[in-house]
Amino acid sequence: MDAVRRGTPAGAGAAADGPDPGPPAAPTPADRLGAGAGVVAVLAVGVAQLVADVALSDVPVAARTVWWAAFLVYAAVFAVDAEVVRLRRPPPERVLVVVLVVAASVAWVANPTADWTPVLFVVTTAAASAALGTPGLVALVTVQSLATAVGAALAGRGVVGVPFTVVVYAAFQTFAAITVRTALREAQARAEADAAHADLAAVHADLAAAHADLRATSALLAVTSRDAERLRIARDLHDVIGHQLTALALELEIASHRVDGAAAEHVGRARTVAKDLLRDVRTVVGELRGGAAGGLEPALRDVLDLPGLATSLSVDAAVHLDDAHLVAVVRCVQEAATNALRHAPGATRLAVHVRRDGDGVVEVDVHDDGPGAIAWEPGHGLRGMQERVTALGGTLVVDPGPGRGFRVTARVPT
């Protein structure tokens, strides 16, 4: 019974290293029900004997006295074993079982006319089923069956009555042992299944977080590659075509002063076309360089493609970020999404809003619909977000939002 009361299979802590693990776990409702049933059985034996003592007077006083003394010892030890009475340092379970066996045997042998006394043997077997292995239980049932036989013989039950009494109570003890051991195995199987489920959930969360990190890295690489290609094209246009068009415009300017008539008119038109082309090239170069920092929304959409979490994204069209700011924003959103996957049980939605206020500050707001947190401490992820934002001169505000979802708000000047 001890292992059931403590919520741990017998011997589970034997291999643990280190200091005392602390107080045992609180009994479960099933543990309390089992202990209560044992207490009721013990009390029923005591009440039955009390009634018999009042109704019958042919039992010697000495036998009654010994019976009650042994019974009270049994009841006190069982109260400790069932944790009805809690001791600061309870004796080992096996010691309690030995005392229960001795007390019940003394009571039965001292007053074998009390036919209900062997019920204590059944209670003892049930209480010891968690602490003893199969050989120990077999030995326990055997010893108590011998005590049952001695008491039945002293009561004069004869050749038929003694074996019958032994078989009946041995069967009851066996049934009690099988029932308790089966309940223990089922409880252990449920605990292992729950642990496996928790491990699978943790693995799933880790995989989802790794997926988010990979998507963020891929998105940043894609944006960086596109930006690098745009900048390369812009430089080539400016350095090669722009230079050639500038030289062409100068040559046409000189030519316009050396020709006259119809040729001068054609040279003037060619010079105008060259200048227009040079202006267009400069416009394209400016657009390419300005567009190099415009990949925020596609990058965030890649990051927010998360399994098991519906996401919504809103990015103001006025938000354009350079490489450093874009990386910081994407990583902050990725970390907030990872936190929702790992630490927000029950969260099904994640909302992300990116906007620019009138002072040129970009605000990133990430909010999930989980239960939030009453007591929490920032981990490495939130500290990393804080460091990224602070390095850019911004601020990070974390609202654990107990009962209303976890919210992270970053404000970064641009």
Side-chain angles (χ1 to χ4, degrees), residues 179-236:
T179 301
V180 173
R181 294 293 289 273
T182 301
L184 280 174
R185 284 194 294 268
E186 291 178 353
Q188 184 175 3
R190 285 194 298 270
E192 291 173 353
D194 291 342
H197 179 74
D199 290 342
L200 287 175
V203 170
H204 176 76
D206 289 341
L207 288 176
H211 173 75
D213 185 46
L214 181 61
R215 294 298 296 255
T217 302
S218 299
L220 289 174
L221 285 174
V223 170
T224 301
S225 299
R226 289 196 298 267
D227 291 348
E229 184 64 15
R230 286 174 176 170
L231 290 174
R232 186 190 66 79
I233 294 172
R235 285 195 298 268
D236 289 346

Side-chain angles (χ1 to χ4, degrees), residues 229-268:
E229 184 64 15
R230 286 174 176 170
L231 290 174
R232 186 190 66 79
I233 294 172
R235 285 195 298 268
D236 289 346
L237 286 175
H238 180 271
D239 296 341
V240 179
I241 298 178
H243 176 75
Q244 296 295 336
L245 286 176
T246 299
L248 177 61
L250 289 174
E251 292 293 335
L252 290 173
E253 176 70 22
I254 295 172
S256 67
H257 296 293
R258 295 186 177 183
V259 297
D260 53 15
E265 181 180 352
H266 289 292
V267 170

Side-chain angles (χ1 to χ4, degrees), residues 1-7 24-25 27 31-32 34-39 42 72-101 120-132 140 180:
M1 181 177 291
D2 187 58
V4 178
R5 292 196 313 272
R6 287 160 175 74
D31 300 337
R32 289 192 291 269
V39 170
V42 173
L72 292 175
V73 170
Y74 186 97
V77 173
F78 184 81
V80 173
D81 186 60
E83 293 189 352
V84 175
V85 175
R86 289 178 176 265
L87 300 180
R88 188 165 186 175
R89 286 186 173 274
E93 175 73 5
R94 292 175 183 268
V95 173
L96 295 176
V97 171
V98 170
V99 176
L100 291 176
V101 172
L120 300 179
F121 294 144
V122 179
V123 174
T124 301
T125 302
S129 294
L132 302 180
L140 176 65
V180 173

